[in-house]
Amino acid sequence: MPTAHPTATPGTRLRRFGLATAAALLSLNIWTGCPLAAVWVGSKVAGDSQLSMGAVVAVVLVLAVLVAVLVALLARVSEAYENLSGEAPGARRTSPWLRSMRGEREDLVDRRRNLGAMERILVGAVVLGAAAFEAWFFFFSGSPIGH
């Protein structure tokens, strides 16, 4: 997290910690909770029968809705954290593949923007999710060959 704002009170720090925790939980649930809930709904739609197109559509729709809701909540939490911590909203940045190759804006390329607390939390959640998936895949899932 960034250094404490000079006028931050203990209550403000506690609210910032709560918002950061909420952001971490939301970002982890985008990767774990949403797919599990969508598969659960799909299993209820399929019932005791084999896989059907209705169950697949239910999984896709539930996953899309849940992820959209959590991303919207995450955006609100991020905005509240930035307002509470005094972080300036990030300037609009052009992706490297969309920048001009002529070099007329070298001053903008030279300026770097550090990651804020929310970006660090999101990057951490993605790295944690990828590491957990790789650990499961390589060590716990078992081999599908020979069954």
Side-chain angles (χ1 to χ4, degrees):
M1 286 220 255
T3 58
H5 197 268
T7 60
T9 64
T12 303
R13 284 189 214 122
L14 186 61
R15 282 182 280 185
R16 280 183 16 200
F17 178 76
L19 289 170
T21 302
L25 290 174
L26 286 169
S27 60
L28 281 176
N29 273 306
I30 289 172
W31 293 97
T32 57
C34 291
L36 288 174
V39 169
W40 179 78
V41 169
S43 73
K44 295 299 179 189
V45 170
D48 292 334
S49 66
Q50 291 187 358
L51 180 66
S52 66
M53 204 55 182
V56 172
V57 169
V59 168
V60 170
L61 289 178
V62 168
L63 183 61
V65 168
L66 288 177
V67 168
V69 167
L70 288 186
V71 166
L73 286 172
L74 190 59
R76 287 182 183 221
V77 167
S78 178
E79 182 181 351
Y81 183 89
E82 287 175 356
N83 289 338
L84 197 59
S85 66
E87 287 182 14
R92 185 169 182 254
R93 295 189 309 178
T94 305
S95 299
W97 54 87
L98 295 176
R99 289 188 189 133
S100 171
M101 297 290 285
R102 294 180 290 189
E104 69 252 5
R105 300 182 78 189
E106 290 178 10
D107 60 325
L108 293 177
V109 175
D110 290 339
R111 284 190 283 174
R112 290 194 170 255
R113 179 178 172 261
N114 293 330
L115 291 179
M118 289 296 125
E119 286 97 357
R120 285 190 209 121
I121 289 171
L122 293 174
V123 168
V126 170
V127 168
L128 182 64
F133 172 74
E134 287 180 2
W136 169 80
F137 183 79
F138 289 116
F139 300 116
F140 300 111
S141 67
S143 174
I145 301 172
H147 285 161

